[in-house]
Amino acid sequence: MLRFLSSLFNSPQESATGIDEALIDKGIERLLAGTDPRIRALPAYRKHLRDPVAGAIEHVIALVERLPEPAPIGPRHYGEDPRLKSFFVSAEHMSEVFGKFRMLRDFLKSVSGPPPDEVFGLLTMAREERQVLGMELDGDRVRKDVLQVAVNFTGHRYIGPAGSDPDSRRQLKIRAFDFLVERALERLMEARSSRRELDRQRRLLKQKLDALHAGDFGLGPMLKEANGEHPDAASLEAEIERIDAEYGEFRSDQLGLEESLECLLEVFGQPSDWLAARELRLRLDSRGIRVAESTSTAAHDLNLTELYSGSGVTRIILLGRIARCDIPEAPDMWKSAARYL
């Protein structure tokens, strides 16, 4: 979303010696540029944003630095890591998915000189669960039509590709910070949308009230409310007063500077409510069926990390490194067309 300030999170001492003021200033400018730049007109906007932005930066740094060392990801490691066997259908499927990673291809194209031996990044995917009917071994007896939970991983992406682990983590910190900026922008849009809706409701109610005052009830029996009762003038006036009190004196969808600032503080004042990670433990058999710990069915215990947000977004993440030899070359459309012809 934002392509400037590439030096954000560039200092290697940021997590060891505290947050530098220059980094906080860059974070404030990045937040305002991505949301409502008009807030700069407020005399004390930096004072209001300084601590929330510093807290968000500390949260983002801690979130990324807590991720474990990158795990090797590739067809050669498919049978070694039970997580990879759960994430991908087969080693061939893994290679096929690697070939679709646009960010991975763009990174390799941008490298000047020989490409790195390994590309570090964050593998992310959605976790889907659905109920299915299957078979289950109960002692020596096979039970059929047993309700089971199948777990699938879809929508694979490779985020923040880089030639080293520190560079990849820096990209992830920038993306995490920008995620919070996007949530703040969404909060601004919701507030403006609420204003437009209130204004629309007020205009509709005012029309009803004018009609009541004018005594225009000729079509009343045909146009009754859903509850079958015609609204009276007093209730309509009370509803308009309620909307006016909530809407204030504004008559446009443009928020005031203080109100815009408050929307930003709602997100950056509580960054962990909008972006956080938690450990997720799953026990899956070879078919991807959830298995209870009390059963003797052969299964793998998977210790996963799930990224989640207060907006409802969840993704399974795995910090990894892909060997250059395991990344398929981009398909050559001209050669494919020539072979076809």
Side-chain angles (χ1 to χ4, degrees):
M1 183 184 68
L2 304 173
R3 297 185 179 182
F4 55 89
L5 294 177
S6 60
S7 60
L8 191 65
F9 300 110
N10 201 31
S11 171
Q13 303 298 323
E14 61 200 11
S15 61
T17 60
I19 306 301
D20 185 78
E21 287 296 328
L23 180 59
I24 297 175
D25 289 340
K26 290 176 182 178
I28 292 175
E29 292 305 311
R30 195 175 185 90
L31 170 59
L32 295 181
T35 54
D36 191 349
R38 301 177 309 139
I39 294 178
R40 295 191 182 100
L42 289 174
Y45 77 93
R46 287 187 178 274
K47 177 182 178 181
H48 291 293
L49 288 174
R50 194 268 177 200
D51 288 346
V53 169
I57 291 175
E58 290 178 346
H59 173 69
V60 163
I61 291 175
L63 186 67
V64 175
E65 292 300 332
R66 279 198 300 266
L67 295 176
E69 291 298 311
I73 302 175
R76 293 174 296 166
H77 306 284
Y78 181 78
E80 304 170 359
D81 193 334
R83 295 173 298 183
L84 299 182
K85 296 188 69 174
S86 298
F87 295 160
F88 302 94
V89 176
S90 63
E92 292 74 19
H93 175 237
M94 183 186 297
S95 296
E96 179 184 347
V97 171
F98 283 3
K100 297 179 181 179
F101 286 151
R102 180 182 57 82
M103 291 185 184
L104 186 59
R105 295 198 309 269
D106 291 346
F107 166 72
L108 293 175
K109 290 180 181 178
S110 67
V111 174
S112 58
D117 294 333
E118 292 181 314
V119 180
F120 295 77
L122 187 71
L123 177 66
T124 81
M125 66 219 85
R127 175 174 58 94
E128 299 178 350
E129 295 189 359
R130 71 179 192 279
Q131 290 187 334
V132 297
L133 292 177
M135 295 185 296
E136 185 179 83
L137 185 61
D138 185 8
D140 297 332
R141 184 169 59 92
V142 176
R143 297 173 55 199
K144 297 182 178 180
D145 295 334
V146 178
L147 195 61
Q148 299 173 327
V149 177
V151 181
N152 294 319
F153 297 91
T154 61
H156 302 75
R157 298 181 65 188
Y158 202 62
I159 306 298
S164 67
D165 183 31
D167 287 344
S168 177
R169 289 180 189 260
R170 184 177 71 86
Q171 293 295 326
L172 296 176
K173 293 171 188 175
I174 294 175
R175 288 183 172 275
F177 188 87
D178 284 349
F179 180 86
L180 295 176
V181 173
E182 291 173 3
R183 301 291 78 73
L185 180 58
E186 287 180 355
R187 183 67 193 89
L188 282 172
M189 294 173 61
E190 290 171 359
R192 291 177 181 178
S193 176
S194 176
R195 283 194 176 279
R196 286 194 294 268
E197 178 62 20
L198 286 170
D199 189 42
R200 187 185 71 85
Q201 292 180 21
R202 185 185 186 283
R203 284 187 283 105
L204 290 175
L205 291 171
K206 185 62 167 63
Q207 292 174 9
K208 290 183 180 182
L209 182 59
D210 290 342
L212 284 173
H213 285 167
D216 186 12
F217 304 123
L219 299 179
M222 296 175 57
L223 304 177
K224 286 185 178 180
E225 299 293 323
N227 59 9
E229 298 179 358
H230 201 288
D232 60 273
S235 62
L236 287 171
E237 287 176 342
E239 182 67 9
I240 290 177
E241 290 178 0
R242 182 193 66 79
I243 293 176
D244 281 343
E246 184 176 352
Y247 190 77
E249 295 301 323
F250 260 87
R251 289 298 177 263
S252 75
D253 64 348
Q254 192 68 267
L255 295 178
L257 299 183
E258 293 81 2
E259 293 169 301
S260 290
L261 177 62
E262 187 62 31
C263 289
L264 304 190
L265 295 178
E266 287 183 21
V267 175
F268 275 74
Q270 300 291 335
S272 61
D273 290 347
W274 298 92
L275 183 63
R278 59 193 171 200
E279 298 302 315
L280 179 67
R281 190 171 184 272
L282 293 177
R283 184 173 173 81
L284 304 179
D285 66 11
S286 59
R287 301 169 299 159
I289 302 297
R290 292 193 68 163
V291 177
E293 295 185 7
S294 58
T295 63
S296 59
T297 303
H300 293 290
D301 291 318
L302 305 180
N303 295 315
L304 309 178
T305 302
E306 185 176 57
L307 199 67
Y308 67 97
S309 169
S311 60
V313 178
T314 61
R315 299 283 288 184
I316 298 298
I317 59 175
L318 175 65
L319 200 63
R321 47 189 175 89
I322 303 176
R324 177 65 186 88
C325 60
D326 289 334
I327 303 174
E329 296 294 334
D332 191 324
M333 302 303 296
W334 290 108
K335 289 183 180 180
S336 299
R339 286 195 300 267
Y340 176 78
L341 294 174

